[in-house]
Amino acid sequence: MTEPALYATLLRVCFGASAVTILSTLFITAPYGRHSRGGWGPMIGGTAGWLIMETPTVVVPTACFVLGRTPHGAVDVVFLLVWYAHYLHRTFVYPLRRTASAKPMPFVIALLGASFNVLNGYLNGRWLFAFGPLRDASWFLDPRFIVGIAVFAVGMAMNLHSDEILLHLRKPGERGYVIPRGGMFRWVTSPNYLGEIIEWAGFALLTWSPAALGFALYTAANIGPRAISHHRWYRETFADYPKERRALLPFVL
């Protein structure tokens, strides 16, 4: 099988995984973080597990860029930098800042996450830097790029601001869960997840890539139901949890 044929098959797998994921995560909440529980095999430290899970998101697209077509145009470089803007923070900065609150996770969850991230990094990296069209600088003036980069920036700002609120919930030495307040938490339980979904919708638009579209759909299928699980957990745990707050979409869901 040639690589383009293999790529096409894996891309179909990615789209199919979105359907399987949303059906499974509506009924089974991945056992890490506040939903951590036994019965999933050996456990690993939360920070180590996160690094195992997320490191391929940086390594694989970088390899695809280095081994891709030459020379790279300015658009290729911007695509990679936009990807890095999310994943350098998500992979290294965020987990190292939350070390004290990171709960152990099943090792199998870290491996499953890493496996998906290898696949997704390959699909996006090879499309952007080898199989997809080589776009010249006129792409920066295309409405798809302009709107897409704006949507990505809004989603990333929402994601980062929500993370800052979560990272500063507890006073030094304080343990246990606290109701997040402020920012988009006024309206939804998981604005960090909403921001991430918006980010990858913007990335799909600014790259106009089927691989990025598949990733955007998978992201919504994976963390959308998790936001619902978070919302249910908060309402069951805190009697004073704001009744007007929704799980993911303000005023709707």
Side-chain angles (χ1 to χ4, degrees):
M1 180 183 289
T2 63
E3 188 187 0
L6 174 63
Y7 182 92
T9 299
L10 293 176
L11 186 59
R12 287 192 291 270
V13 168
C14 183
F15 277 95
S18 298
V20 173
T21 297
I22 195 168
L23 290 174
S24 60
T25 53
L26 283 171
F27 299 100
I28 303 172
T29 303
Y32 64 91
R34 76 199 65 220
H35 304 290
S36 182
R37 57 191 183 275
W40 287 75
M43 304 291 283
I44 187 173
T47 300
W50 192 275
L51 290 171
I52 290 170
M53 187 163 54
E54 295 293 333
T55 297
T57 64
V58 176
V59 173
V60 176
T62 300
C64 289
F65 182 85
V66 171
L67 299 174
R69 61 183 164 233
T70 53
H72 287 292
V75 175
D76 281 0
V77 174
V78 169
F79 285 166
L80 184 63
L81 290 177
V82 172
W83 182 275
Y84 278 168
H86 176 88
Y87 273 120
L88 288 177
H89 177 270
R90 180 59 55 196
T91 302
F92 302 115
V93 178
Y94 176 74
L96 295 176
R97 290 185 67 195
R98 66 186 281 270
T99 298
S101 62
K103 288 190 170 183
M105 70 168 67
F107 185 55
V108 68
I109 294 296
L111 287 182
L112 287 173
S115 298
F116 173 79
N117 285 330
V118 168
L119 171 65
N120 185 56
Y122 168 79
L123 290 174
N124 277 278
R126 288 299 278 169
W127 177 267
L128 294 177
F129 310 128
F131 297 148
L134 175 60
R135 303 187 187 278
D136 60 32
S138 66
W139 183 249
F140 294 136
L141 300 178
D142 190 286
R144 290 167 291 184
F145 180 85
I146 295 170
V147 174
I149 197 72
V151 170
F152 182 91
V154 167
M156 186 168 182
M158 187 186 304
N159 184 272
L160 293 178
H161 184 252
S162 302
D163 280 350
E164 283 299 311
I165 291 174
L166 292 174
L167 286 168
H168 293 93
L169 276 180
R170 303 174 186 85
K171 297 176 183 178
E174 188 178 29
R175 305 190 70 82
Y177 285 96
V178 179
I179 298 174
R181 301 186 188 276
M184 285 294 294
F185 285 103
R186 298 185 191 95
W187 295 287
V188 294
T189 295
S190 298
N192 49 335
Y193 289 170
L194 175 59
E196 192 160 343
I197 291 169
I198 291 171
E199 277 185 75
W200 296 119
F203 189 77
L205 184 58
L206 73 92
T207 59
W208 205 245
S209 157
L213 175 60
F215 181 36
L217 292 174
Y218 179 84
T219 298
N222 185 33
I223 61 179
R226 190 166 180 84
I228 295 171
S229 297
H230 278 9
H231 188 66
R232 186 184 308 117
W233 182 90
Y234 273 110
R235 296 190 67 170
E236 291 171 351
T237 303
F238 297 97
D240 60 340
Y241 196 69
K243 292 183 172 54
E244 70 279 4
R245 197 177 292 187
R246 296 293 184 263
L248 186 65
L249 298 176
F251 315 113
V252 178
L253 175 66

